[in-house]
Amino acid sequence: MRISLLAILLFIGTASAQTNDSMLTLEEYLGYVKSFHPIVKQANLVINESQAKLMKARGAFDPKLEVDYDRKKFKGTEYFDKLNAAFKIPVWFGIEFKGNFEENTGDFLDRESDVPIDGLYSAGVSVPLARGLLTNKRMATLRQSRLYVKQAEADRQLLINDILFEATKTYFKWLRHYNEKMVYENFLENASIRFNGIKKSYEVGDKPAIDTLEARITLNNRKLNLEKARIKFIKSSLELSNYLWLNDNTPVEIKENIIPDEGTFNIVDNILNTSAIEIESFDIESHPKLRSLDYKIQSLSIERRLKRNNLLPQIDLQYNFLSETPEIARSFSTAAYKSGLNINFPLFLRKERGDLKLATIKLQDTRFDLQNTRLSLKNKVDAINQELDSFVTQNDFTLAIVEDYSKLLTAEERKFFLGESSLFLVNSRESKLIDSKLKAIEIENSFLNTKASLFNVLALSDVPLD
């Protein structure tokens, strides 16, 4: 899957003695993009962020130790010395267990603060009887955070899929410009051979001078077109370099002697998993975009349940057993206790009802988005499949045209050297052949880009977490 580090280093080497071209295949190229591209690594931060939020949400259920100490002393008089230490354990369903120690001394204490000399211990529970019992903010946040982790995994796959899509299109562009350059190189060689032959024929009196002029014009046109194609190839190589990095975050520059795989057309389905069999077995519901929206709907449903629960009155009950000797379990009894009841209920509930409506609207909006996305994905896949079928047909026609033009050019060249044709006709046939080859390259590139679009729509990237 991956090319060796030595091969990569050859890309950035400066040795001019190397004359053989080195091939960079699409599979090797994507392997490095998946492993080392900064955007791919950045996508992993989405997972890390969601996991950090989950840890934060779990912190709402952490036991708490609270100490409240207050003392006042003035002109030799100790007004008060108060110590109140509590240990709280929040649990599910809004219930909170609490252990407490209270010790108060001083000359000016309130009567309600009087406690035994060795302090007073209490153990009890706080229970919401209406709002906050079946669902509350900390329960909802924890549930949502768990969903955020799953949603982040789906979003990460979408982010990576997008960068692989752009990288794949850049490779196909590089391949197209390479193929165009090779076409012009081959026909430049033909034009050079033809020019030298006509020049020699002119020198011995077999050809008129006008033929050498036309042959030279054709030769220079081929050189001009080759130079344009060479610059395009160099620019596309530099664009390709934007996606190539090493493990130590070192960018890699593709040199001119590195070439693409000309057989990419035949193996693109194996690399991108876009064969007809793969598409037929693909479950659209497993698409990361749909999974992300589904997790978002679940999260918004939790939010709506919380807002609905806020319509209930807030009724909090506290009950604590009191004891001077906590080491004796029997000392905690109903004969000594401290209890309380707190009731809070807004009369109009306008804030709570407004929050509920907003939560319902967000949920409905996301459900509509899910339905639209599901239909859009199906239609996109169908449209791309139709487009691919058309490109296959177009490619067959174009290859037949190229073959026929090649035969015409060969026949015209034979007639020219037999003196039965003109250089103008030979050049005309050759120009038509060049145009047909370039058209074939263009259609092949369109086909490959459509395959990349199918890969992107289906979100088929499979990059494991580090």
Side-chain angles (χ1 to χ4, degrees), residues 272-288:
L272 300 181
N273 296 323
T274 51
S275 64
I277 298 176
E278 295 287 345
I279 296 173
E280 289 177 0
S281 61
F282 180 75
D283 180 15
I284 194 69
E285 296 300 327
S286 66
H287 193 282

Side-chain angles (χ1 to χ4, degrees), residues 437-454:
K437 282 181 173 289
L438 294 177
K439 187 64 177 179
I441 293 172
E442 179 185 351
I443 292 177
E444 178 183 293
N445 180 257
S446 297
F447 175 85
L448 292 174
N449 281 330
T450 306
K451 282 288 186 181
S453 297
L454 180 61

Side-chain angles (χ1 to χ4, degrees), residues 84 98 100 102 112 120-125 317-323 333-341:
N84 194 325
K98 179 180 179 181
N100 190 77
E102 185 177 3
E112 66 178 15
L120 183 65
Y121 296 87
S122 65
V125 62
L317 174 65
Q318 297 185 23
Y319 191 91
N320 298 275
F321 297 99
L322 303 178
S323 173
S333 67
T334 56
Y337 66 90
K338 178 182 178 182
S339 64
L341 182 66

Side-chain angles (χ1 to χ4, degrees), residues 193-206:
I193 293 173
R194 191 180 302 123
F195 172 72
N196 291 330
I198 292 174
K199 183 179 179 182
K200 290 180 181 178
S201 297
Y202 162 72
E203 291 174 351
V204 297
D206 289 342

Side-chain angles (χ1 to χ4, degrees), residues 70-72 78-83 102-116:
D70 196 11
R71 184 183 186 190
K72 181 179 179 181
E78 184 181 72
Y79 283 68
F80 54 81
D81 190 314
K82 300 179 181 180
L83 173 64
E102 185 177 3
E103 185 179 51
N104 303 320
T105 59
D107 296 333
F108 296 96
L109 282 175
D110 294 334
R111 292 296 302 273
E112 66 178 15
S113 300
D114 286 343
V115 295

Side-chain angles (χ1 to χ4, degrees), residues 344-396:
N344 183 4
F345 184 67
L347 295 180
F348 298 111
L349 292 173
R350 283 182 288 201
K351 177 180 181 300
E352 289 75 9
R353 287 187 287 116
D355 287 341
L356 178 59
K357 286 184 178 180
L358 290 174
T360 302
I361 291 172
K362 288 181 181 180
L363 181 58
Q364 291 175 341
D365 180 70
T366 307
R367 282 174 175 167
F368 289 144
D369 192 11
L370 177 63
Q371 294 174 0
N372 179 69
T373 302
R374 182 185 291 111
L375 180 61
S376 177
L377 288 173
K378 290 181 179 179
N379 290 337
K380 283 182 180 179
V381 172
D382 291 340
I384 290 175
N385 282 330
Q386 294 289 336
E387 193 174 2
L388 288 173
D389 292 339
S390 176
F391 279 132
V392 171
T393 303
Q394 293 178 46
N395 187 63
D396 292 339

Side-chain angles (χ1 to χ4, degrees), residues 170-451:
T170 303
Y171 184 92
F172 292 155
K173 181 180 179 181
W174 184 49
L175 174 62
R176 174 182 179 176
H177 289 157
Y178 172 76
N179 287 333
E180 290 175 348
K181 184 172 76 75
M182 293 304 298
V183 168
Y184 286 119
E185 281 185 0
N186 293 333
F187 283 99
L188 173 62
E189 185 179 355
N190 293 343
S192 179
I193 293 173
R194 191 180 302 123
F195 172 72
N196 291 330
I198 292 174
K199 183 179 179 182
K200 290 180 181 178
S201 297
Y202 162 72
E203 291 174 351
V204 297
D206 289 342
K207 298 289 182 182
I210 192 67
D211 282 353
T212 61
L213 179 60
E214 185 170 352
R216 189 171 67 182
I217 291 174
T218 301
L219 177 62
N220 287 331
N221 275 328
R222 300 289 182 266
K223 289 180 179 179
L224 177 62
N225 290 332
L226 175 60
E227 181 61 20
K228 291 180 180 179
R230 189 184 69 83
I231 292 300
K232 287 183 180 179
F233 177 67
I234 292 175
K235 289 177 64 178
S236 60
S237 298
L238 292 174
E239 289 181 28
L240 194 78
S241 299
N242 293 333
Y243 297 94
L244 278 177
W245 297 73
L246 295 180
N247 193 25
D248 57 352
N249 296 325
T250 302
V252 177
E253 181 180 344
I254 298 291
K255 296 300 182 180
E256 256 188 290
N257 66 302
I258 306 302
I259 63 174
D261 181 9
E262 296 179 73
T264 301
F265 182 88
N266 299 319
I267 60 175
V268 64
D269 281 327
N270 294 332
I271 298 174
L272 300 181
N273 296 323
T274 51
S275 64
I277 298 176
E278 295 287 345
I279 296 173
E280 289 177 0
S281 61
F282 180 75
D283 180 15
I284 194 69
E285 296 300 327
S286 66
H287 193 282
K289 180 62 175 178
L290 297 182
R291 288 191 286 113
S292 176
L293 287 173
D294 183 61
Y295 292 134
K296 184 177 180 181
I297 288 174
Q298 294 182 48
S299 177
L300 291 174
S301 297
I302 294 172
E303 184 73 16
R304 188 177 66 168
R305 284 198 297 270
L306 176 63
K307 300 304 182 184
R308 184 186 293 124
N309 183 262
N310 288 341
L311 296 176
L312 298 174
Q314 183 174 346
I315 305 175
D316 297 332
L317 174 65
Q318 297 185 23
Y319 191 91
N320 298 275
F321 297 99
L322 303 178
S323 173
E324 296 182 64
T325 55
E327 65 276 6
I328 303 175
R330 291 179 302 173
S331 65
F332 291 99
S333 67
T334 56
Y337 66 90
K338 178 182 178 182
S339 64
L341 182 66
N342 180 38
I343 300 176
N344 183 4
F345 184 67
L347 295 180
F348 298 111
L349 292 173
R350 283 182 288 201
K351 177 180 181 300
E352 289 75 9
R353 287 187 287 116
D355 287 341
L356 178 59
K357 286 184 178 180
L358 290 174
T360 302
I361 291 172
K362 288 181 181 180
L363 181 58
Q364 291 175 341
D365 180 70
T366 307
R367 282 174 175 167
F368 289 144
D369 192 11
L370 177 63
Q371 294 174 0
N372 179 69
T373 302
R374 182 185 291 111
L375 180 61
S376 177
L377 288 173
K378 290 181 179 179
N379 290 337
K380 283 182 180 179
V381 172
D382 291 340
I384 290 175
N385 282 330
Q386 294 289 336
E387 193 174 2
L388 288 173
D389 292 339
S390 176
F391 279 132
V392 171
T393 303
Q394 293 178 46
N395 187 63
D396 292 339
F397 289 146
T398 308
L399 293 179
I401 293 172
V402 169
E403 184 178 356
D404 291 342
Y405 271 127
S406 297
K407 292 178 181 178
L408 283 176
L409 176 60
T410 301
E412 202 65 47
E413 286 178 334
R414 187 180 300 112
K415 289 170 63 179
F416 174 72
F417 286 107
L418 292 175
E420 299 176 0
S421 182
S422 65
L423 183 59
F424 173 80
L425 288 175
V426 172
N427 289 336
S428 177
R429 301 291 190 197
E430 189 176 68
S431 295
K432 293 290 186 180
L433 178 58
I434 292 174
D435 290 341
S436 64
K437 282 181 173 289
L438 294 177
K439 187 64 177 179
I441 293 172
E442 179 185 351
I443 292 177
E444 178 183 293
N445 180 257
S446 297
F447 175 85
L448 292 174
N449 281 330
T450 306
K451 282 288 186 181

